[in-house]
C-alpha cells in the first residue's frame, strides 16, 4: 500500500512539474497578449502638412478588418517604390508617422497598418507574437492586389516584432528590407522576455512556448530570421543597440553573419536600449511622460498626450535617412540589371 502511495505521489509530482509551468505560461501569455493595446493615436495628421493618405483596409488571417493607409507626399502621383512599414508589438501605425512622412518626402509611398488588437483595427486582443507577421503577410497581399501599388518595387521596414515580420516575408517580390531591433525566432524571444521578467529560471518555458504557439497558430509560415537571411540574396539593413534589454544583442550578432549582400548594412549602436528610433535623452523624456500619462486624471490626459507627441516626433532622423539612402542605392542598382 505504501509503495502504491509513493508511486502515485511521484506521478502526481511529475504531472505538476509538467503542467504547472504550462499553466503559468498561459497566464503570462494572457497578461501580455490577452487584451487590446495602444488604442490612441498620439500624432495629429495636421502636424504633418505635406502628408496625404488613402484608406486601404484589408482582412487578416482571422478575417478581422485591419485598418491600413497608403501614405504619400501631397501632390505626388508617381513614386519610386512602395514601403510596407510594419509596427512593433503593442504599436499602431500612428507612432511611426515621423518615419512615414520622411519616406514620403523622399518620394516613396508608404503602406502601413494597425496590427490586430491595436489602434483602429478589429481584434479584442493581441493574440501573440506571430500575429503581427500574419497581419504583415496579409498587408503584403493587399499591396500585391492593388493596381496603384503592385507595379512599383516593394521594400519592407519593420521595428522589433515588426522587424521579425519583415525578415520572415522575404521572397522574390521583395527588393530590400530594413529591420530595426529584430529577433531571430518567436519562441526564443518569448523565453528572453520571460527571463527579463522572472530571471534565468524562465528558460524552462521554451518547450511550453512551442506547444502554446502550435495550439494558437497551427503551423505558422514564419520561422527563423537567420534561416530567412541564409536562403535569400537581397540587401538588408540591420540596426541594433548593444544595450538592448528587450531583444538581446546576440540576435543581431547571429543575423549579421548571414547579411552579406554587397549592399547590406549591419549597424550597431550604443545607448539606445530597445528604443533604437530615439536617442537616449529623448527616450528618457518619453518614459517620464508615459508614467505621468498612466497616473493622469481625465482632464489632464490631453495636455500630456500633446506633450508626449511633441517629444515622440523627435526620432533619430539620421537613422531613417540612412535607411532611405540604402533604399535609394538598391533601386539604382535595380536599374542597372
Amino acid at each position: 500500500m505504501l509503495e502504491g502511495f509513493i508511486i502515485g505521489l511521484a506521478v502526481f509530482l511529475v504531472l505538476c512539474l509538467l503542467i504547472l509551468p504550462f499553466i503559468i505560461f498561459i497566464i503570462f501569455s494572457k497578461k501580455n497578449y490577452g487584451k487590446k493595446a495602444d488604442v490612441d493615436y498620439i500624432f495629429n495628421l495636421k502636424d504633418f502638412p505635406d502628408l496625404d493618405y488613402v484608406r486601404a483596409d484589408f482582412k487578416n488571417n482571422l478575417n478581422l478588418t485591419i485598418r491600413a493607409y497608403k501614405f504619400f507626399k501631397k501632390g505626388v502621383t508617381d513614386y519610386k517604390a512602395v514601403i510596407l512599414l510594419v509596427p512593433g508589438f503593442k504599436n499602431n501605425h500612428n507612432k511611426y508617422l515621423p518615419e512615414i512622412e520622411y519616406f514620403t518626402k523622399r518620394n516613396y509611398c508608404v503602406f502601413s497598418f494597425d496590427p490586430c488588437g491595436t489602434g483602429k483595427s478589429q481584434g479584442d486582443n493581441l493574440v501573440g507574437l506571430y500575429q503581427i507577421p500574419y497581419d504583415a503577410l496579409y498587408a503584403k497581399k493587399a499591396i500585391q492586389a492593388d493596381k496603384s501599388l503592385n507595379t512599383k518595387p516593394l521594400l519592407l521596414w519593420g521595428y522589433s516584432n515588426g522587424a521579425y515580420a519583415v525578415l520572415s516575408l522575404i521572397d522574390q517580390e521583395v527588393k530590400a528590407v530594413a529591420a530595426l531591433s529584430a529577433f531571430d525566432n518567436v519562441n526564443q524571444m518569448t523565453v528572453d522576455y520571460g527571463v527579463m521578467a522572472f530571471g534565468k529560471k524562465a528558460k524552462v518555458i521554451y518547450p511550453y512556448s512551442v506547444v502554446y504557439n502550435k495550439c494558437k497558430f497551427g503551423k505558422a509560415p514564419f520561422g527563423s530570421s537567420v534561416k530567412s537571411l541564409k536562403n535569400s540574396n537581397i540587401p538588408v539593413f540591420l540596426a541594433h543597440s548593444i544595450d538592448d534589454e528587450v531583444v538581446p544583442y546576440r540576435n543581431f550578432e547571429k543575423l549579421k553573419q548571414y547579411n552579406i549582400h554587397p549592399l547590406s548594412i549591419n549597424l550597431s549602436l550604443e545607448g539606445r536600449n530597445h528604443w533604437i528610433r530615439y536617442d537616449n535623452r529623448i527616450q528618457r523624456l518619453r518614459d517620464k511622460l508615459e508614467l505621468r500619462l498612466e497616473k493622469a486624471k481625465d482632464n489632464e490626459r490631453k495636455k500630456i498626450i500633446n506633450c508626449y507627441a511633441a517629444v515622440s516626433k523627435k526620432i533619430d532622423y539620421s537613422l531613417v535617412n540612412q535607411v532611405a539612402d540604402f533604399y535609394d542605392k538598391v533601386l539604382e542598382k535595380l536599374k542597372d540589371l
Side-chain angles (χ1 to χ4, degrees):
M1 185 175 178
L2 180 61
E3 184 180 348
F5 172 76
I6 292 172
I7 293 172
L9 180 62
V11 171
F12 174 76
L13 290 173
V14 169
L15 288 174
C16 285
L17 288 172
L18 290 174
I19 295 172
L20 186 60
F22 192 61
I23 293 171
I24 294 171
F25 182 81
I26 291 173
I27 294 170
F28 169 77
S29 297
K30 189 172 182 180
K31 180 181 177 182
N32 284 282
Y33 313 129
K35 59 183 179 180
K36 288 181 74 74
D38 198 29
V39 175
D40 294 330
Y41 284 179
I42 63 168
F43 291 123
N44 190 325
L45 269 170
K46 293 178 180 177
D47 296 330
F48 302 86
D50 293 328
L51 194 60
D52 207 350
Y53 68 93
V54 174
R55 280 271 296 275
D57 298 0
F58 61 91
K59 295 284 188 179
N60 71 356
N61 60 309
L62 303 174
N63 201 34
L64 296 173
T65 299
I66 300 299
R67 176 63 63 86
Y69 300 89
K70 294 183 283 188
F71 291 97
F72 42 88
K73 186 178 179 180
K74 282 185 178 177
V76 174
T77 57
D78 189 28
Y79 27 82
K80 293 183 285 192
V82 177
I83 299 172
L84 170 56
L85 187 145
V86 184
F89 186 59
K90 294 186 178 181
N91 286 185
N92 61 53
H93 86 279
N94 181 269
K95 283 193 173 180
Y96 303 86
L97 282 184
E99 280 97 345
I100 290 171
E101 180 194 44
Y102 184 86
F103 286 133
T104 61
K105 285 182 175 179
R106 295 282 294 261
N107 203 26
Y108 288 96
C109 175
V110 178
F111 187 104
S112 193
F113 60 93
D114 297 347
C116 177
T118 70
K120 296 181 181 179
S121 286
Q122 290 183 337
D124 296 328
N125 57 73
L126 302 172
V127 191
L129 289 180
Y130 277 126
Q131 191 54 49
I132 286 178
Y134 265 117
D135 292 340
L137 173 63
Y138 280 75
K140 182 169 172 280
K141 291 180 179 180
I143 291 171
Q144 291 167 333
D146 189 326
K147 292 181 180 178
S148 71
L149 303 177
N150 61 18
T151 60
K152 300 293 183 181
L154 177 60
L155 312 171
L156 307 181
W157 183 101
Y159 164 69
S160 192
N161 197 181
Y164 168 77
V166 297
L167 290 173
S168 299
L169 294 180
I170 294 174
D171 61 17
Q172 68 272 18
E173 301 295 325
V174 176
K175 305 307 178 187
V177 172
L180 280 57
S181 306
F183 55 82
D184 177 36
N185 71 81
V186 162
N187 292 312
Q188 186 58 53
M189 183 61 231
T190 303
V191 172
D192 290 339
Y193 189 81
V195 168
M196 183 182 67
F198 304 110
K200 291 184 179 180
K201 57 183 176 291
K203 289 182 178 180
V204 300
I205 68 173
Y206 187 89
Y208 300 96
S209 176
V210 173
V211 172
Y212 175 86
N213 283 314
K214 193 78 171 178
C215 294
K216 196 83 172 177
F217 293 97
K219 189 177 180 181
F222 316 107
S224 160
S225 297
V226 165
K227 186 176 179 180
S228 186
L229 284 174
K230 278 183 180 179
N231 295 336
S232 68
N233 186 34
I234 69 165
V236 176
F237 184 108
L238 293 176
H240 213 109
S241 186
I242 292 172
D243 59 334
D244 193 324
E245 295 177 356
V246 177
V247 178
Y249 185 71
R250 63 177 177 271
N251 286 272
F252 174 76
E253 292 179 316
K254 287 167 63 178
L255 291 169
K256 72 177 184 179
Q257 293 179 55
Y258 304 98
N259 190 30
I260 56 175
H261 188 281
L263 294 179
S264 287
I265 293 174
N266 297 302
L267 180 63
S268 180
L269 299 171
E270 292 187 54
R272 301 295 182 92
N273 204 315
H274 188 54
W275 325 115
I276 197 169
R277 299 167 59 228
Y278 298 97
D279 68 32
N280 198 29
R281 180 179 61 86
I282 295 298
Q283 185 54 42
R284 287 200 303 269
L285 288 173
R286 293 178 77 247
D287 289 342
K288 289 178 181 178
L289 288 166
E290 283 182 357
L291 288 174
R292 286 182 59 189
L293 197 55
E294 289 175 7
K295 300 174 183 178
K297 297 177 181 177
D298 289 343
N299 62 335
E300 299 172 327
R301 287 182 61 81
K302 186 176 180 180
K303 183 178 180 181
I304 297 173
I305 287 174
N306 288 340
C307 187
Y308 181 72
V311 172
S312 295
K313 197 174 179 182
K314 300 180 184 299
I315 63 167
D316 178 2
Y317 279 98
S318 67
L319 180 58
V320 69
N321 175 66
Q322 288 178 74
V323 174
D325 287 345
F326 162 74
Y327 287 149
D328 284 350
K329 287 179 182 178
V330 172
L331 295 179
E332 283 298 317
K333 191 70 174 179
L334 288 173
K335 289 179 183 178
D336 298 334
L337 297 178

